[in-house]
Amino acid sequence: MTRTDVLEAEAPRAAAGLRELASRYALLPLRIFLGVTFVYAGLDKLTDSAFLSASGDGSIGDMMRGVRDTSAIPALVDLSLNSPVGFAVALAIGEILVGLGTLAGLLTRVAAVGGALIALSLWLTVSWAVTPYYYGNDLVYLMAWTPLILAGAPYLSLDSVIRSRLSRRTA
């Protein structure tokens, strides 16, 4: 058998190995993107003094008052307007926690549910009136969290380390 014959025989196995590797880590780019994006969004909110105001240009209060009458759930907007700064801080901290949990792969499904709930609430309030609907990014984020809710983070995650240690203890 020549070297070329050996390489041709090995090619399908190598391709299968690459496909298996790609499918194993397929959610990792999504996890990194969502994790970084949510941490950044939370930090951006916490460091923006204009955003963390009840009124004024760029404030959470003015933004929420501006979308109140076009949102799908005006009562949810009204709830945020009871304490706009508190709501903004809670949103920012939630985004940071969701992002860090996703990046670390710690309680990944819980973090993904949190991210999906944040995206859902923003879609139903802030970006509900965006037309056509696909111009609003909150719906896209909601859908992007779905694979992580379903699959979690089975590789390169604290969840997998914990799962591995627990299975060794019970064995």
Side-chain angles (χ1 to χ4, degrees):
M1 194 175 247
T2 68
R3 186 171 197 273
T4 303
D5 292 337
V6 170
L7 289 175
E8 286 177 0
E10 292 294 320
R13 259 189 294 189
L18 285 174
R19 280 192 302 275
E20 191 272 328
L21 189 65
S23 78
R24 175 180 292 170
Y25 297 107
L27 291 179
L28 190 58
L30 183 62
R31 232 178 85 203
I32 292 168
F33 171 76
L34 290 171
V36 167
T37 300
F38 269 58
V39 168
Y40 177 78
L43 291 174
D44 190 43
K45 287 175 180 68
L46 286 179
T47 58
D48 184 351
S49 59
F51 182 78
L52 291 176
S53 299
S55 62
D57 287 343
S59 70
I60 183 70
D62 279 5
M63 182 180 71
M64 296 312 283
R65 280 186 288 279
V67 300
R68 191 221 178 267
D69 293 333
T70 59
S71 73
I73 307 175
L76 192 56
V77 177
D78 291 339
L79 186 62
S80 73
L81 287 170
N82 287 334
S83 177
V85 176
F87 170 74
V89 170
L91 175 62
I93 291 171
E95 287 174 334
I96 292 168
L97 291 175
V98 162
L100 291 175
T102 303
L103 285 171
L106 180 62
L107 300 172
T108 308
R109 285 188 169 108
V110 173
V113 167
L117 289 173
I118 289 170
L120 177 63
S121 66
L122 292 173
W123 176 55
L124 292 173
T125 56
V126 177
S127 61
W128 180 256
V130 173
T131 57
Y133 75 92
Y134 51 82
Y135 281 171
N137 61 349
D138 296 313
L139 181 58
V140 176
Y141 282 111
L142 174 60
M143 293 300 112
W145 284 110
T146 304
L148 293 177
I149 292 170
L150 297 173
Y155 300 101
L156 298 176
S157 66
L158 290 175
D159 288 344
S160 65
V161 170
I162 293 166
R163 199 169 30 257
S164 171
R165 287 187 180 172
L166 288 175
S167 69
R168 272 190 260 139
R169 278 188 189 169
T170 58

